[in-house]
Short mmCIF file of all heavy atoms in Angstrom, two decimals:
data_model
loop_
_atom_site.label_atom_id
_atom_site.label_comp_id
_atom_site.label_asym_id
_atom_site.label_seq_id
_atom_site.Cartn_x
_atom_site.Cartn_y
_atom_site.Cartn_z
N VAL A 109 -0.18 12.85 25.87
CA VAL A 109 0.04 13.34 24.51
C VAL A 109 1.31 14.17 24.52
O VAL A 109 1.42 15.16 25.26
CB VAL A 109 -1.14 14.18 23.99
CG1 VAL A 109 -0.85 14.71 22.60
CG2 VAL A 109 -2.40 13.33 23.96
N ARG A 110 2.28 13.76 23.72
CA ARG A 110 3.54 14.50 23.61
C ARG A 110 3.53 15.29 22.30
O ARG A 110 3.22 14.72 21.26
CB ARG A 110 4.73 13.54 23.57
CG ARG A 110 4.89 12.64 24.78
CD ARG A 110 6.08 11.70 24.58
NE ARG A 110 7.33 12.43 24.48
CZ ARG A 110 8.25 12.24 23.53
NH1 ARG A 110 8.06 11.32 22.61
NH2 ARG A 110 9.35 12.95 23.50
N VAL A 111 3.81 16.56 22.38
CA VAL A 111 3.92 17.37 21.17
C VAL A 111 5.30 18.03 21.18
O VAL A 111 5.70 18.63 22.18
CB VAL A 111 2.82 18.45 21.12
CG1 VAL A 111 2.91 19.25 19.82
CG2 VAL A 111 1.44 17.81 21.24
N ALA A 112 6.00 17.89 20.06
CA ALA A 112 7.37 18.41 19.98
C ALA A 112 7.41 19.89 20.32
O ALA A 112 6.61 20.68 19.81
CB ALA A 112 7.94 18.17 18.58
N GLY A 113 8.29 20.28 21.20
CA GLY A 113 8.47 21.67 21.55
C GLY A 113 7.51 22.17 22.62
O GLY A 113 7.49 23.36 22.94
N HIS A 114 6.68 21.25 23.16
CA HIS A 114 5.72 21.65 24.20
C HIS A 114 5.79 20.67 25.36
O HIS A 114 6.26 19.55 25.20
CB HIS A 114 4.29 21.66 23.64
CG HIS A 114 4.08 22.64 22.53
ND1 HIS A 114 3.70 23.93 22.73
CD2 HIS A 114 4.24 22.50 21.20
CE1 HIS A 114 3.60 24.57 21.58
NE2 HIS A 114 3.94 23.72 20.61
N ASP A 115 5.26 21.11 26.51
CA ASP A 115 5.13 20.15 27.61
C ASP A 115 4.08 19.14 27.22
O ASP A 115 3.13 19.46 26.51
CB ASP A 115 4.67 20.88 28.89
CG ASP A 115 5.78 21.77 29.44
OD1 ASP A 115 6.96 21.48 29.14
OD2 ASP A 115 5.46 22.75 30.14
N SER A 116 4.25 17.92 27.68
CA SER A 116 3.23 16.93 27.35
C SER A 116 2.06 17.09 28.31
O SER A 116 2.19 17.61 29.41
CB SER A 116 3.80 15.52 27.41
OG SER A 116 4.04 15.15 28.74
N SER A 117 0.87 16.69 27.82
CA SER A 117 -0.30 16.77 28.70
C SER A 117 -0.85 15.37 28.88
O SER A 117 -0.74 14.54 27.99
CB SER A 117 -1.36 17.69 28.09
OG SER A 117 -1.51 17.43 26.71
N SER A 118 -1.40 15.10 30.03
CA SER A 118 -1.92 13.76 30.26
C SER A 118 -3.19 13.78 31.09
O SER A 118 -3.51 14.77 31.74
CB SER A 118 -0.85 12.88 30.92
OG SER A 118 -0.55 13.38 32.19
N THR A 119 -3.89 12.67 31.01
CA THR A 119 -5.14 12.54 31.76
C THR A 119 -5.38 11.06 32.00
O THR A 119 -4.65 10.21 31.48
CB THR A 119 -6.32 13.16 30.96
OG1 THR A 119 -7.48 13.15 31.77
CG2 THR A 119 -6.60 12.37 29.69
N ILE A 120 -6.40 10.76 32.81
CA ILE A 120 -6.74 9.36 33.07
C ILE A 120 -8.09 9.08 32.43
O ILE A 120 -9.03 9.85 32.61
CB ILE A 120 -6.85 9.08 34.59
CG1 ILE A 120 -5.62 9.59 35.34
CG2 ILE A 120 -7.11 7.60 34.84
CD1 ILE A 120 -4.44 8.66 35.35
N ALA A 121 -8.19 8.00 31.68
CA ALA A 121 -9.47 7.64 31.08
C ALA A 121 -10.46 7.25 32.19
O ALA A 121 -10.06 6.73 33.23
CB ALA A 121 -9.27 6.48 30.11
N ASP A 122 -11.76 7.51 31.93
CA ASP A 122 -12.75 7.17 32.96
C ASP A 122 -13.11 5.69 32.88
O ASP A 122 -12.54 4.94 32.08
CB ASP A 122 -13.97 8.09 32.87
CG ASP A 122 -14.76 7.87 31.57
OD1 ASP A 122 -14.57 6.82 30.91
OD2 ASP A 122 -15.56 8.76 31.21
N ASP A 123 -14.09 5.28 33.68
CA ASP A 123 -14.35 3.84 33.78
C ASP A 123 -14.96 3.23 32.53
O ASP A 123 -15.00 2.00 32.39
CB ASP A 123 -15.20 3.51 35.02
CG ASP A 123 -16.50 4.30 35.01
OD1 ASP A 123 -16.67 5.14 34.10
OD2 ASP A 123 -17.33 4.10 35.92
N VAL A 124 -15.43 4.07 31.59
CA VAL A 124 -15.86 3.49 30.32
C VAL A 124 -14.82 3.73 29.22
O VAL A 124 -15.07 3.49 28.04
CB VAL A 124 -17.25 4.02 29.87
CG1 VAL A 124 -18.32 3.51 30.81
CG2 VAL A 124 -17.25 5.53 29.77
N GLY A 125 -13.64 4.20 29.62
CA GLY A 125 -12.54 4.32 28.68
C GLY A 125 -12.48 5.63 27.92
O GLY A 125 -11.71 5.77 26.97
N ARG A 126 -13.28 6.60 28.35
CA ARG A 126 -13.25 7.89 27.65
C ARG A 126 -12.25 8.83 28.28
O ARG A 126 -12.02 8.81 29.49
CB ARG A 126 -14.63 8.55 27.70
CG ARG A 126 -15.62 7.87 26.81
CD ARG A 126 -16.97 8.54 26.88
NE ARG A 126 -17.88 7.83 25.99
CZ ARG A 126 -18.13 8.22 24.75
NH1 ARG A 126 -17.59 9.33 24.28
NH2 ARG A 126 -18.94 7.51 24.00
N PHE A 127 -11.67 9.67 27.45
CA PHE A 127 -10.78 10.70 27.98
C PHE A 127 -10.84 11.94 27.08
O PHE A 127 -11.18 11.85 25.90
CB PHE A 127 -9.34 10.20 28.10
CG PHE A 127 -8.72 9.77 26.80
CD1 PHE A 127 -8.01 10.67 26.01
CD2 PHE A 127 -8.84 8.45 26.36
CE1 PHE A 127 -7.43 10.27 24.81
CE2 PHE A 127 -8.26 8.04 25.15
CZ PHE A 127 -7.56 8.95 24.38
N VAL A 128 -10.56 13.07 27.68
CA VAL A 128 -10.54 14.33 26.94
C VAL A 128 -9.27 15.10 27.29
O VAL A 128 -8.89 15.16 28.46
CB VAL A 128 -11.76 15.23 27.30
CG1 VAL A 128 -11.76 16.49 26.44
CG2 VAL A 128 -13.06 14.46 27.13
#
Side-chain angles (χ1 to χ4, degrees):
Chain A
V109 178
R110 301 177 63 228
V111 183
H114 298 270
D115 290 336
S116 71
S117 44
S118 64
T119 187
I120 310 276
D122 66 17
D123 55 356
V124 292
R126 287 180 180 264
F127 61 90
V128 184

